Amino acid sequence: AGPLVLAAGRVCAGADARRVFCFDAAGTPRLRIDGPGPGDRAATEGAGGRILFAAGRELVAVESNGAPAWRFAAHAKIFTSPALDAFGRVYGASQDHQLYALEADGALRWIHRAASDLDAGPAVAADGTVVVGSDDGTLIALTADGAPRWSRRFEGPLRAAPALTPAGDVVANVGGLQPAIVALDGATGG
C-alpha cells in the first residue's frame, strides 16, 4: 500500500505484519501501531492527525500518538483504504458485500448491502455522495444518509476506488476482458 504523509510531516505505511509504522522526516521510527490483521492498505488521516486504516476485517482509528480511538469489525476482510467526508465520517467497503458508514467516533451510521464483494475503496464527493464499485461491475452512488442515488452496471469488475472531479463527476476503472476508463455525471450516473 502507498504511504500516508501526515500533516505533521510523519510518514505512515502498513505492512502484512499486522502493523502500521510511522516515521519522521529523517526516517526514524516514531510509532508502531499493532492491528488485528494485515495493515496492507494505505491509511487515511482524520481530524487532529488521527490515523485510520483497514486491518483484516476491521477499520481501526488511532490518535496521532498511537493511542487507540476505536475499532469497527466488518464480517469479512476490508481490502480498501477508508474514505472520509467533510464531517469526519468514515466509509469502508468490505468483501462481505457491504459499505459501512461510521460516525467520526466509530459508531455505525448506516450499512448498504451490494450484490457482490466491494474490493474498491469508496470515494466521497463534496456534497456527501458516496460512490463505490463492486466486483459484479456495478458502480453505486448513495446519499450521505445511505439512500440510493443511482447505479450503473459495466461489463467488468470495479476494483479500484473511483475518482471524483472538482465538478463532482465520477471517473471509474472497469476491469475484465475489455478494460475501460469511464466518466459519468456525478448527479445522475449518466
Side-chain angles (χ1 to χ4, degrees):
L4 168 66
V5 179
L6 299 167
R10 287 184 299 167
V11 176
C12 297
D16 286 339
R18 297 179 180 259
R19 292 188 176 101
V20 172
F21 298 94
C22 296
F23 305 87
D24 64 20
T28 304
R30 293 295 178 197
L31 193 60
R32 184 183 96 178
I33 305 163
D34 293 320
D40 55 0
R41 297 293 172 239
T44 303
E45 184 174 14
R50 183 176 277 180
I51 302 164
L52 301 119
F53 61 96
R57 65 182 195 93
E58 292 189 17
L59 288 171
V60 178
V62 297
E63 302 300 344
S64 61
N65 64 2
W70 54 262
R71 287 184 173 186
F72 176 85
H75 298 288
K77 183 166 174 66
I78 300 170
F79 270 114
T80 67
S81 300
L84 299 174
D85 70 11
F87 300 101
R89 295 181 190 121
V90 180
Y91 300 87
S94 174
Q95 286 196 322
D96 63 9
H97 303 202
Q98 300 190 111
L99 175 66
Y100 295 94
L102 309 175
E103 296 292 351
D105 65 2
L108 181 63
R109 181 173 165 79
W110 52 260
I111 298 172
H112 174 79
R113 181 152 179 85
S116 68
D117 287 355
L118 299 176
D119 288 333
V124 184
D127 68 357
T129 299
V130 182
V131 184
V132 69
S134 67
D135 274 4
D136 73 352
T138 304
L139 190 63
I140 306 157
L142 305 163
T143 67
D145 293 322
R149 187 166 183 185
W150 55 260
S151 68
R152 179 91 181 266
R153 183 77 187 262
F154 297 96
E155 292 300 318
L158 298 159
R159 292 190 177 140
L164 303 172
T165 69
D169 293 329
V170 179
V171 180
N173 180 9
V174 180
L177 297 175
Q178 296 181 344
I181 301 291
V182 297
L184 305 170
D185 180 288
T188 66

